[in-house]
Amino acid sequence: MSDDEAGQAGAEAVRAAWGRIDAWLRKWGPDSYARLAPPAEPGAVAAAEAALRMRFPAELRASLGCHDGVGGEGVLPVKPPLSAAGIVRYWTRWMELTEEEREFGDPEEEGEPSWHPRWIPWAESDGDAQIIDGRDGPGFGRLGMKYHDEEGSFGDDAPSLAAYLTEVADALENGRSVGGRVPYVGVSGEMWWAEAPAAPSGGG
């Protein structure tokens, strides 16, 4: 499968996952469903790509084409997605914080740099962001975290935005967890994610 074909397959998976999430929220979490923004205007996505000086991965463009961000936490288990304009604001803030650095990360050192210009913040709250790796190579498109007071980090839990959103849709429909967190819905129709209860220990 070519890179273009893989990108299109990922974009379709993102749209399908958002469709499932939307349908579940309309039925079970209407207050949270109301927080979902309408699709981003193509011009807003193009402007964001120009500001970051890169073309977004197909999966991120597909997600913005479903919802231009989410107003408030609770819809997804990690962080609420940013709008196209919010992506630019967060990225620009970190670029300004690191503008005096000539290089982003020392190749002699292990681990990730404090910030990299090809990291794309896609979801954020309280200064901490879930980021998409836009660097070329085998890690392209994977999800990681950038905490405001720590270096960026990438694990194996979310190899792509499509995989993450599909896992969320599966959890909503089938009562599963995402990263150890399970969804709850209050009587008002507002949902949130909390740590899954520990399994009862066997008695003797």
Side-chain angles (χ1 to χ4, degrees):
M1 182 182 293
S2 69
D3 289 344
D4 286 344
E5 290 172 335
Q8 288 305 311
E12 287 298 328
V14 164
R15 285 188 282 267
W18 267 124
R20 294 167 60 197
I21 294 168
D22 290 356
W24 193 92
L25 288 174
R26 277 195 298 268
K27 182 174 182 180
W28 301 107
D31 279 17
S32 290
Y33 176 74
R35 294 181 180 180
L36 300 174
E41 295 291 336
V45 176
E49 291 178 321
L52 271 64
R53 300 186 289 277
M54 70 177 89
R55 184 166 174 78
F56 290 166
E59 293 182 8
L60 177 57
R61 280 184 270 117
S63 183
L64 290 167
C66 294
H67 297 293
D68 191 23
V70 175
E73 299 198 46
V75 174
L76 298 184
V78 180
K79 295 291 181 181
L82 290 162
S83 65
I87 289 172
V88 174
R89 284 193 296 269
Y90 189 93
W91 182 89
T92 300
R93 183 163 69 247
W94 270 99
M95 290 297 291
E96 290 173 348
L97 289 172
T98 56
E99 66 181 355
E100 295 182 359
E101 297 180 13
R102 290 176 174 249
E103 296 182 2
F104 293 82
D106 186 344
E108 299 296 326
E109 296 181 359
E110 296 182 358
E112 296 289 351
S114 177
W115 183 254
H116 193 283
R118 293 192 69 83
W119 287 350
I120 307 169
W122 99 278
E124 180 267 343
S125 67
D126 299 324
D128 301 330
Q130 195 175 17
I131 55 178
I132 298 173
D133 195 350
R135 296 171 291 185
D136 293 333
F140 178 81
R142 62 184 173 164
L143 267 62
M145 289 298 301
K146 170 60 182 131
Y147 296 102
H148 67 279
D149 56 352
E150 298 179 13
E151 297 177 347
S153 62
F154 295 89
D156 299 325
D157 293 338
S160 69
L161 183 56
Y164 170 64
L165 292 174
T166 299
E167 187 177 11
V168 170
D170 289 343
L172 293 175
E173 293 174 349
N174 303 307
R176 299 175 183 169
S177 66
V178 177
R181 301 175 74 85
V182 293
Y184 294 85
V185 179
V187 294
S188 67
E190 182 178 358
M191 70 168 293
W192 71 96
W193 295 76
E195 293 295 326
S201 58

